[in-house]
Amino acid sequence: MKIAYYPGCSQEGSALDYGKSTGAVCAAFGFHLEEIPNWTCCGSTPAHALDTELSAALCARNLDLATREKADVVVTPCPSCLNNLRLASHRMENPSFRANVNALLDEPAAEKFPEATSIMQLLGRHLDTETIKARVKKTLNGIKLAAYYGCLMSRPANVMDFGDPENPTLMESLLAACGAEMVDFPLKTACCGAASGIPERKLTAYNSGRILELATTLGVDAIAVACPLCQMNLDLRQKQAAKAEDAFFDMPILYFTQLMGLAMDINPEYLGLEQLCVSPEMLLRKLGMGKGGAA
């Protein structure tokens, strides 16, 4: 299987730790991620709200590059990128829409693109519980986690094809296989407000605050996430959320790939733990690791 890897813009900057841990975990399981050559931004945050066809053209260009590389599948860590790539592919099935998009490209895109899917789905489809358990060297046993997917990973349901749009369970399965105790988290697909972080700060603080408040009430050691926007919002803006809730939060927000990497005893240097704003020190101590994850 040839895997075309679309990192997305955030993996090059604000979510560098997600990109690093994704690469490390995939390599540990033998998945070779071949980065799409000369990929460009998919326009996931601003472009699609202003011009659907232009946004689709940005995605179609990347999907077309993957097609030319004879990729079997396109994978990305970012739900926002995935959402845009899948929506573009879906909309390109409309002949008139495809014609308008092709007019924006240097040359017409391929008639059929490889499926775009998430890193989480890649792992879930090709690794069963026993395979994951066999790779675990430092079990997450004793760690209680809440899986938070955010609002984009499973919606719209007919396009994203991610199971129950209100109650996905793939992240729980992957982390439970690593030994973690996964709590029932009713707000797992609620919006954290990240896209409104600048124009509607009060709304964002409220949305994030109720997620952090529930996780704190449930007594989890960390929230596991799969979205760069969600991670940044819940981690970087935790003090703003605490003020909105008139509460105090000290909740580590880790990517599910970082947690899987810890379970597999991957060198913390390759997991990007130092980039987290809220220290995971207490969680690491529970796992018998020192500062930064060193044993």
Side-chain angles (χ1 to χ4, degrees):
M1 180 176 61
K2 185 169 185 178
I3 304 171
Y5 179 54
Y6 181 76
C9 302
S10 62
Q11 316 304 308
E12 306 281 310
S14 60
L16 186 62
D17 45 347
Y18 196 12
K20 289 172 69 174
S21 57
T22 290
V25 168
C26 285
F29 283 116
F31 294 109
H32 176 62
L33 305 180
E34 197 166 320
E35 192 167 313
I36 296 174
N38 198 29
W39 64 269
T40 54
C41 176
C42 69
S44 66
T45 303
H48 71 89
L50 300 174
D51 191 324
T52 303
E53 290 173 353
L54 175 59
S55 175
L58 293 171
C59 290
R61 179 186 178 277
N62 290 304
L63 291 168
D64 189 60
L65 288 170
T67 305
R68 294 175 189 277
E69 293 294 311
K70 302 188 185 308
D72 296 301
V73 64
V74 176
V75 300
T76 181
C78 176
S80 187
C81 294
L82 178 62
N83 189 281
N84 220 35
L85 290 168
R86 289 186 70 93
L87 279 172
S89 186
H90 178 72
R91 287 166 174 159
M92 290 284 278
E93 294 174 6
N94 181 316
S96 61
F97 187 89
R98 171 179 283 274
N100 291 337
V101 168
N102 280 338
L104 296 170
L105 300 172
D106 290 337
E107 54 185 281
E111 287 295 320
K112 185 175 177 58
F113 299 135
E115 179 194 13
T117 191
S118 68
I119 287 291
M120 192 188 300
Q121 288 168 302
L122 176 75
L123 297 175
R125 287 175 182 176
H126 297 280
L127 303 174
D128 59 24
T129 298
E130 294 308 312
T131 301
I132 296 173
K133 285 182 176 180
R135 186 63 182 79
V136 170
K137 294 182 179 179
K138 292 189 175 180
T139 178
L140 299 184
N141 186 34
I143 297 298
K144 186 186 292 188
L145 300 173
Y148 177 67
Y149 295 81
C151 58
L152 285 174
M153 183 72 87
S154 60
R155 302 185 183 101
N158 65 314
V159 174
M160 297 305 284
D161 190 25
F162 200 81
D164 187 335
E166 302 299 327
N167 186 33
T169 57
L170 179 53
M171 198 188 320
E172 287 93 331
S173 297
L174 293 173
L175 293 174
C178 294
E181 176 188 350
M182 305 304 299
V183 304
D184 181 21
F185 198 60
L187 296 179
K188 64 168 71 177
T189 61
C191 179
C192 71
S196 302
I198 295 177
E200 296 290 345
R201 292 189 179 184
K202 287 185 178 180
L203 173 63
T204 299
Y206 170 77
N207 282 5
S208 299
R210 70 190 191 116
I211 292 166
L212 291 163
E213 178 68 31
L214 177 59
T216 300
T217 300
L218 292 172
V220 302
D221 295 292
I223 298 176
V225 298
C227 172
L229 279 173
C230 296
Q231 197 284 333
M232 182 170 65
N233 200 41
L234 295 173
D235 185 36
L236 178 65
R237 294 174 170 154
Q238 199 162 125
K239 289 183 179 180
Q240 295 174 27
K243 186 176 181 180
E245 289 291 310
D246 191 24
F248 172 77
F249 301 132
D250 187 30
M251 180 65 63
I253 314 295
L254 281 76
Y255 290 109
F256 79 97
T257 46
Q258 291 178 309
L259 289 159
M260 291 185 73
L262 287 172
M264 293 188 287
D265 199 24
I266 293 174
N267 190 324
E269 177 185 345
Y270 302 118
L271 300 179
L273 297 180
E274 74 285 347
Q275 195 157 326
L276 300 174
C277 294
V278 177
S279 173
E281 182 66 18
M282 291 300 294
L283 181 147
L284 295 175
R285 286 180 181 174
K286 276 195 170 185
L287 293 174
M289 302 179 182
K291 189 173 182 179

